[in-house]
Amino acid sequence: MMVLHIHRRGPRTTASFSIMAPPVLSTPEQYQELLDSVDTFLLDCDGVLYHGSNVVPGIKQVLPMLRRAGKKIIFVTNNASKSRRMYVDTFRKLGLEAQAEEIFGSGYASAVYLSKVLNFPKDKRVYVIGEVGLEEELDSVGIGHSGGTDPEDRVFMEKDGFGDIKPDPSIGAVLCGFDIHINYKKYAKAFSYMRDNKDCHFLLTNQDPTYPTSFATGDPDQPIRHTIFPGSGSISYPLVYASKRTPTVIGKPNTTMMDAILAEHQFDPKRALMVGDNLATDIEFGINSGVRTLLVMGGVTKREAIFGDEPSKTVPDFVMESFGDLAVLDKQ
Amino acid sequence: MMVLHIHRRGPRTTASFSIMAPPVLSTPEQYQELLDSVDTFLLDCDGVLYHGSNVVPGIKQVLPMLRRAGKKIIFVTNNASKSRRMYVDTFRKLGLEAQAEEIFGSGYASAVYLSKVLNFPKDKRVYVIGEVGLEEELDSVGIGHSGGTDPEDRVFMEKDGFGDIKPDPSIGAVLCGFDIHINYKKYAKAFSYMRDNKDCHFLLTNQDPTYPTSFATGDPDQPIRHTIFPGSGSISYPLVYASKRTPTVIGKPNTTMMDAILAEHQFDPKRALMVGDNLATDIEFGINSGVRTLLVMGGVTKREAIFGDEPSKTVPDFVMESFGDLAVLDKQ
């Protein structure tokens, strides 16, 4: 573990526990020391590299700089609505570079988990609550599926429609991710497959309660609004509550995601760093996986959660204002 | 408390607790003794009076018999998708009689709670996740609302639609019930009203995980299938999980429902009996409200839950095969 030449704040005692605040990196010397200690950067995307369609200042310099320095970069995102292919496109449009192999979305990780961990039978299919990106990732590992973007499941059913929900013994798993076309027919079908078959697997791409997004407001005083809406974990919850089952959750902070990454990349966890803006997903994921963690501000974590009187029990190894601040090291 | 002339089964000891099985009423003498001890019957509907569109045998005799004997009948149902007016129609079509004043659905109870307990301000409105029956009950107490059956909220939004979800400071409460037209736009709007206004109330009509229904199968061997699908509590859960708020739950087993009933009916709880087929809602409701309870079989409760080796901790005062069996007492 590197030693940083800065002073940690002293321990603060709250009602039930005492927590040491993490060191805040803010000088070029501290940034360089961090870089020297890391070979592999595991980077959350939204909140670290960009906010919606706005690239974080400095990031366009930082990523090529890390590559030139021989660092391995792996993008680790809970967003399952985009496939790796779609992420490459998104990155290109934002002026960032990425290879499909560098990208681990929770959709791809779910497909890998089904295929490699569960050895999902070839004659079974997955019922998908989710979008085209999730379907693409199942396709990429050769797993058949139904639901998802099928227009027959993007409808509002009526109360006399229950009889139309037929048993389907070919369904071997329900996989639930973010689905902006969620509707009762999808819930009813997914529920019925689990109700009628106790061996049907139940997977969530992730359990994020909220989904951060941003949009143009038309208000000159606040042209872009960053806010949150119900996320994938929330959308999935009706099936958890109705079925009374405990799903297998793939995305951060669960180590299933790291298992999927390590199945395709070799690296030394001691020389890796998970960078994210979310304590509950990114930082917990790093801690659960035995990797050091760097929290960046400006995303979903409020400053009080780290430096307030009642700090979160989840403490990153380091804090930085923005991952883009590393651009100050760029000699080119 | 009446004394029944039957033998209780002895106590059974399980890993963690010892439970006395409730007496099973099965003879005319036992039925008459029960009737003599009750002035007010609180009756669950689906599972006690009918299963879907099939009236339970005997019920058409039992209800008029109880009325002739001067018993007060109150129908207590968690179903919020029908208003009292709609229930009267449903009863009439099934050949049963009921007055609107006798019917307490969780929709009406929610409207009463908003109006009488929360003194909901006249200049505020309720955002409804639910159906026309719930809207009718809000109308009946003079509370304005949006959402619900509005065609603008019965649509699939797209990812670029977040900016169209505008703040609405007139929304003073989110009320969530069963809604077969549930969709992401409704979740996003309801969530945003609570996100932007911590004083916005959050109510669920009920927390039932599943919704019992029945439908024609077209299969001569099993012409009607009775089964379950995700219920109102499940549909509501994305808002609970995303908002991290604890909602006020109106329906059984919560005593809020009894408060609403007692606001409009006087009766002696000691001479009342809650009759239902569901341990978690009906029987818990009676216990929580200090009213004796009668469980009927043939609904959602499996026999093992009462008489199995690991019985439920929720124990009714009495068990009967069917509430329709009281018809044996009908002298007319």
Side-chain angles (χ1 to χ4, degrees):
Chain A
M1 178 72 74
M2 66 185 283
V3 178
L4 275 161
H5 299 145
I6 60 166
H7 296 287
R8 281 175 178 263
R9 298 187 185 197
R12 289 147 308 155
T13 304
T14 68
S16 56
F17 53 94
S18 164
I19 287 173
M20 189 81 84
V24 179
L25 313 188
S26 60
T27 68
E29 293 72 26
Q30 291 169 335
Y31 299 159
Q32 188 61 54
E33 196 173 357
L34 179 72
L35 250 61
D36 291 344
S37 78
V38 177
D39 294 336
T40 302
F41 285 89
L42 302 160
L43 304 181
D44 178 42
C45 297
D46 206 332
V48 172
L49 309 178
Y50 48 78
H51 297 284
S53 55
N54 302 293
V55 177
V56 168
I59 290 295
K60 285 184 189 177
Q61 273 177 279
V62 169
L63 295 184
M65 179 186 81
L66 295 177
R67 292 186 204 280
R68 282 196 308 274
K71 310 295 184 186
K72 185 193 272 280
I73 298 178
I74 301 172
F75 302 100
V76 186
T77 170
N78 270 2
N79 188 329
S81 51
K82 286 181 187 166
S83 65
R84 292 164 300 162
R85 182 192 65 74
M86 293 160 79
Y87 259 104
V88 170
D89 280 354
T90 300
F91 273 50
R92 188 178 303 125
K93 281 179 195 147
L94 292 172
L96 303 172
E97 196 201 334
Q99 308 299 319
E101 305 75 55
E102 294 174 326
I103 298 168
F104 279 79
S106 64
Y108 181 59
S110 299
V112 168
Y113 181 84
L114 279 160
S115 164
K116 297 195 176 168
V117 179
L118 296 183
N119 292 311
F120 196 70
K122 294 280 176 223
D123 60 339
K124 295 282 186 182
R125 293 183 307 150
V126 173
Y127 185 76
V128 174
I129 290 181
E131 304 189 350
V132 65
L134 189 51
E135 294 176 319
E136 274 191 23
E137 297 298 26
L138 290 170
D139 291 339
S140 79
V141 300
I143 292 180
H145 50 85
S146 66
T149 58
D150 185 343
E152 290 208 4
D153 284 9
R154 280 188 174 181
V155 294
F156 293 119
M157 68 177 267
E158 299 294 333
K159 280 245 168 112
D160 58 6
F162 286 108
D164 297 333
I165 295 175
K166 304 291 185 198
D168 185 345
S170 80
I171 300 295
V174 166
L175 171 59
C176 197
F178 188 80
D179 188 340
I180 206 164
H181 296 88
I182 188 63
N183 60 68
Y184 191 81
K185 187 178 185 183
K186 286 189 176 183
Y187 284 140
K189 288 180 81 167
F191 175 79
S192 74
Y193 301 137
M194 294 195 282
R195 179 195 65 200
D196 296 343
N197 174 12
K198 69 177 175 48
D199 295 325
C200 179
H201 295 287
F202 180 26
L203 281 73
L204 310 189
T205 61
N206 68 81
Q207 66 212 35
D208 298 2
T210 54
Y211 173 87
T213 188
S214 53
F215 49 84
T217 61
D219 173 358
D221 290 340
Q222 189 206 26
I224 301 287
R225 183 167 184 200
H226 301 290
T227 189
I228 54 171
F229 282 101
S232 182
S234 297
I235 296 303
S236 307
Y237 222 94
L239 294 176
V240 179
Y241 189 65
S243 73
K244 299 186 170 67
R245 289 205 196 185
T246 303
T248 300
V249 187
I250 304 295
K252 299 175 284 186
N254 301 282
T255 53
T256 319
M257 181 69 121
M258 188 61 90
D259 295 342
I261 296 171
L262 289 171
E264 309 209 354
H265 289 270
Q266 269 99 50
F267 59 84
D268 178 1
K270 288 198 193 67
R271 301 269 310 164
L273 180 74
M274 176 69 214
V275 184
D277 68 321
N278 190 320
L279 291 172
T281 53
D282 303 317
I283 305 306
E284 286 279 350
F285 173 67
I287 293 169
N288 293 341
S289 305
V291 160
R292 285 173 298 160
T293 56
L294 167 65
L295 178 77
V296 297
M297 306 311 293
V300 304
T301 302
K302 293 197 167 66
R303 222 161 278 272
E304 308 91 84
I306 301 294
F307 304 112
D309 289 336
E310 296 200 22
S312 167
K313 291 181 188 178
T314 301
V315 183
D317 291 293
F318 314 108
V319 176
M320 267 178 76
E321 204 52 43
S322 163
F323 197 62
D325 293 348
L326 291 180
V328 73
L329 299 179
D330 190 14
K331 308 292 194 307
Q332 216 186 24
Chain B
M1 180 72 75
M2 65 185 286
V3 178
L4 275 161
H5 299 144
I6 60 165
H7 295 287
R8 279 175 179 264
R9 299 187 187 199
R12 291 148 307 157
T13 303
T14 69
S16 57
F17 52 93
S18 165
I19 287 172
M20 189 81 84
V24 179
L25 312 189
S26 60
T27 69
E29 293 71 29
Q30 292 169 336
Y31 299 160
Q32 188 61 52
E33 198 173 357
L34 179 71
L35 250 62
D36 291 345
S37 78
V38 177
D39 293 336
T40 302
F41 284 88
L42 301 160
L43 304 181
D44 178 42
C45 298
D46 206 329
V48 173
L49 309 179
Y50 48 78
H51 297 284
S53 55
N54 303 295
V55 177
V56 168
I59 290 295
K60 285 185 188 177
Q61 272 177 278
V62 170
L63 294 185
M65 179 186 80
L66 295 177
R67 291 188 204 281
R68 282 196 308 275
K71 310 295 185 187
K72 185 193 271 279
I73 299 178
I74 300 172
F75 302 100
V76 187
T77 170
N78 271 1
N79 188 329
S81 51
K82 285 181 187 168
S83 65
R84 291 164 301 162
R85 182 192 66 74
M86 293 160 79
Y87 258 105
V88 170
D89 280 353
T90 299
F91 273 50
R92 188 177 302 126
K93 280 178 196 147
L94 293 172
L96 303 172
E97 196 200 336
Q99 308 299 318
E101 306 77 55
E102 295 175 325
I103 298 167
F104 278 80
S106 64
Y108 181 58
S110 299
V112 168
Y113 181 84
L114 280 160
S115 164
K116 296 194 176 168
V117 179
L118 296 182
N119 293 312
F120 196 71
K122 294 280 177 227
D123 60 339
K124 293 283 187 183
R125 292 182 308 150
V126 173
Y127 185 76
V128 173
I129 290 182
E131 305 190 349
V132 64
L134 189 51
E135 294 176 319
E136 275 191 22
E137 297 298 26
L138 291 169
D139 291 338
S140 78
V141 299
I143 291 179
H145 50 84
S146 67
T149 59
D150 185 342
E152 289 208 4
D153 284 9
R154 280 189 173 179
V155 294
F156 293 119
M157 68 177 267
E158 299 294 333
K159 280 248 169 109
D160 58 6
F162 285 108
D164 298 332
I165 295 175
K166 304 291 184 198
D168 185 345
S170 80
I171 300 295
V174 166
L175 171 59
C176 197
F178 187 80
D179 189 339
I180 206 163
H181 295 88
I182 188 64
N183 60 69
Y184 191 81
K185 186 178 185 184
K186 286 189 177 183
Y187 284 140
K189 288 180 80 167
F191 175 80
S192 74
Y193 302 137
M194 294 194 283
R195 179 196 65 201
D196 295 344
N197 173 12
K198 69 177 174 49
D199 295 326
C200 180
H201 295 287
F202 181 26
L203 281 72
L204 311 188
T205 61
N206 68 82
Q207 66 212 37
D208 298 2
T210 54
Y211 173 87
T213 188
S214 54
F215 49 85
T217 61
D219 173 358
D221 290 339
Q222 189 205 27
I224 302 287
R225 182 166 185 202
H226 301 289
T227 188
I228 54 172
F229 282 101
S232 182
S234 297
I235 297 303
S236 307
Y237 222 95
L239 295 176
V240 179
Y241 190 65
S243 72
K244 299 185 170 69
R245 289 204 196 186
T246 303
T248 301
V249 186
I250 303 296
K252 300 175 285 187
N254 301 282
T255 54
T256 319
M257 182 68 120
M258 188 61 90
D259 296 341
I261 296 172
L262 289 171
E264 309 209 352
H265 289 270
Q266 269 100 49
F267 60 84
D268 178 1
K270 289 198 195 65
R271 302 267 312 161
L273 182 74
M274 176 69 213
V275 184
D277 68 322
N278 190 320
L279 292 172
T281 54
D282 303 317
I283 305 306
E284 286 278 351
F285 173 66
I287 292 168
N288 293 341
S289 305
V291 161
R292 285 172 297 159
T293 56
L294 167 64
L295 178 78
V296 297
M297 306 311 294
V300 303
T301 301
K302 293 197 168 68
R303 222 161 277 273
E304 307 91 86
I306 300 295
F307 304 111
D309 290 337
E310 297 201 21
S312 167
K313 291 182 190 179
T314 301
V315 182
D317 291 293
F318 314 108
V319 176
M320 267 177 76
E321 205 51 43
S322 162
F323 197 62
D325 293 346
L326 292 180
V328 72
L329 299 179
D330 191 14
K331 307 291 194 306
Q332 215 186 26

